[in-house]
């Protein structure tokens, strides 16, 4: 059994794979007062990461990240009962092919789905307007004036939704809303089929100036902790921070 975690800041993709020995060793180094079986440890990490990214309350786990061109270090701090739990992921940067298959291609599939939905909605609205116009011409009247709406204007709608103020507001929550919701899960299933048959390759050159112009608001974290089968190929053990953290002493050891 091993754990694979992947994260992206939308500029690079990072990954760390931890087998059972590394998981137990790191837990012992960072949390000497906690004894835990591997399955429970993986569950606590997965739940902690999810809660930290949602940030729904003041008591949510704390998540910090330090990133450079070659690595991403994520620190997780939370409480299990009355005991503080700490964890550090040390991820290395992957190549452009992995970034394309795990980030770029899923977003292209999502964009294609949104375009299809938009076209169908516009067509449906046009038919509804024609239906309402026909009813009015036949002498039908509105039962309530407040439900009356003007005919849908596609050009006006498109111009309104691409205004700078509107997009800035949407962009602030893009990193949390893009990969959330049941609809995304359905789209990702389609992505798997597209990915298997796609012959497209990522571009040879990347316009760094264009990426920089997106701004700091585009920095986001997408993290996933999941059980996976033992890899056939050998992977080097991830670097573990040598500095031993200070751990608050507790009267009883915590077993999970």
């Amino acid at each position: 059994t091993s754990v694979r975690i992947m994260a992206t800041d939308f500029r690079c993709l990072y990954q760390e794979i931890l087998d059972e020995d590394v998981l137990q060793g790191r837990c012992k180094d960072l949390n000497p007062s906690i004894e835990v079986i591997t399955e429970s440890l993986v569950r606590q990490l997965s739940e902690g990461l999810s809660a930290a990214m949602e940030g729904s309350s003041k008591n949510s786990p704390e998540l910090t990240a330090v990133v450079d061109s070659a690595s991403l270090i994520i620190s997780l701090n939370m409480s299990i009962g009355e005991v503080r739990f700490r964890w550090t992921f040390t991820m290395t940067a992957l190549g452009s092919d992995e970034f394309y298959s795990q980030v770029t291609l899923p977003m292209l599939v999502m964009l294609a789905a949104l375009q299809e939905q938009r076209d169908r909605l516009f067509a449906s609205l046009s038919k509804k307007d024609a239906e309402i116009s026909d009813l009015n011409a036949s002498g039908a009247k509105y039962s309530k004036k407040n439900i009356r709406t003007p005919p849908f204007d596609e050009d006006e709608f498109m111009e309104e939704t691409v205004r700078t103020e509107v997009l800035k507001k949407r962009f602030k929550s893009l990193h949390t809303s893009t990969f959330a919701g049941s609809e995304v899960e359905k789209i990702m299933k389609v992505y798997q089929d597209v990915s298997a048959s796609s012959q497209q390759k990522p571009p040879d050159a990347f316009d760094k100036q264009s990426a920089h112009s997106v701004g700091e608001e585009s920095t986001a974290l997408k993290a996933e902790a999941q059980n996976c089968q033992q890899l056939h190929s050998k992977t080097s053990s991830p670097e573990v921070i040598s500095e031993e953290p200070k751990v608050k002493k507790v009267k009883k050891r915590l077993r999970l």
Side-chain angles (χ1 to χ4, degrees):
T1 301
S2 61
V3 168
R4 178 190 186 192
I5 180 171
M6 302 182 75
T8 182
D9 57 0
F10 294 115
R11 291 185 176 89
C12 188
L13 182 66
Y14 305 87
Q15 173 183 272
E16 183 178 23
I17 299 175
L18 306 95
D19 60 24
E20 186 170 358
D21 292 338
V22 174
L23 285 167
Q24 288 291 343
R26 189 172 301 183
C27 184
K28 184 177 180 180
D29 291 340
L30 298 176
N31 307 278
S33 62
I34 295 179
E35 296 179 6
V36 59
I37 61 175
T38 304
E39 289 77 8
S40 180
L41 175 59
V42 171
R43 185 179 67 254
Q44 293 290 344
L45 289 173
S46 179
E47 293 176 353
L49 285 171
S50 298
M53 293 180 66
E54 291 176 0
S56 56
S57 68
K58 294 182 179 179
N59 298 324
S60 297
E62 299 176 0
L63 194 66
T64 58
V66 178
V67 61
D68 58 34
S69 59
S71 65
L72 171 64
I73 299 176
I74 296 178
S75 298
L76 177 66
N77 291 279
M78 62 182 186
S79 295
I80 301 178
E82 297 181 355
V83 179
R84 293 296 296 174
F85 177 82
R86 298 172 176 83
W87 194 267
T88 299
F89 292 101
T90 304
M91 290 175 274
T92 56
L94 299 178
S96 58
D97 287 346
E98 289 83 0
F99 183 87
Y100 175 78
S101 64
Q102 297 294 331
V103 180
T104 305
L105 187 55
M107 294 184 73
L108 290 175
V109 173
M110 189 180 301
L111 178 60
L114 290 174
Q115 288 178 329
E116 179 67 19
Q117 292 170 359
R118 185 197 66 179
D119 292 344
R120 293 193 181 191
L121 283 172
F122 284 3
S124 179
L125 286 171
S126 179
K127 291 181 179 179
K128 286 294 181 182
D129 284 342
E131 180 181 353
I132 293 173
S133 178
D134 182 67
L135 290 173
N136 289 336
S138 301
K141 296 182 179 181
Y142 293 95
S143 60
K144 297 179 181 179
K145 292 183 178 181
N146 61 345
I147 65 173
R148 185 174 183 175
T149 57
F152 177 70
D153 188 324
E154 181 176 336
D155 293 334
E156 181 181 349
F157 176 83
M158 294 297 295
E159 183 177 353
E160 172 66 20
T161 53
V162 296
R163 288 192 300 109
T164 302
E165 295 78 8
V166 175
L167 293 181
K168 278 186 176 181
K169 184 178 180 180
R170 172 62 63 179
F171 200 79
K172 289 181 179 179
S173 61
L174 187 65
H175 64 285
T176 55
S177 61
T178 300
F179 297 99
S182 58
E183 183 180 6
V184 176
E185 295 179 3
K186 297 178 181 178
I187 292 176
M188 291 304 290
K189 291 180 180 179
V190 177
Y191 148 70
Q192 293 175 358
D193 296 334
V194 174
S195 179
S197 60
S198 175
Q199 300 298 322
Q200 299 180 23
K201 297 294 181 181
D204 295 332
F206 182 72
D207 188 351
K208 295 183 179 180
Q209 182 64 30
S210 297
H212 180 71
S213 65
V214 174
E216 293 300 326
E217 292 174 327
S218 66
T219 301
L221 177 66
K222 171 194 171 190
E224 174 189 9
Q226 60 181 15
N227 289 327
C228 60
Q229 298 296 327
Q230 184 69 31
L231 299 181
H232 295 293
S233 59
K234 295 183 179 179
T235 56
S236 58
S237 299
E239 179 183 356
V240 179
I241 297 177
S242 58
E243 181 180 356
E244 185 173 346
K246 296 180 180 180
V247 180
K248 182 179 179 180
K249 295 182 179 179
V250 294
K251 295 181 179 180
K252 296 182 179 180
R253 298 177 64 85
L254 178 64
R255 292 186 178 182
L256 299 175

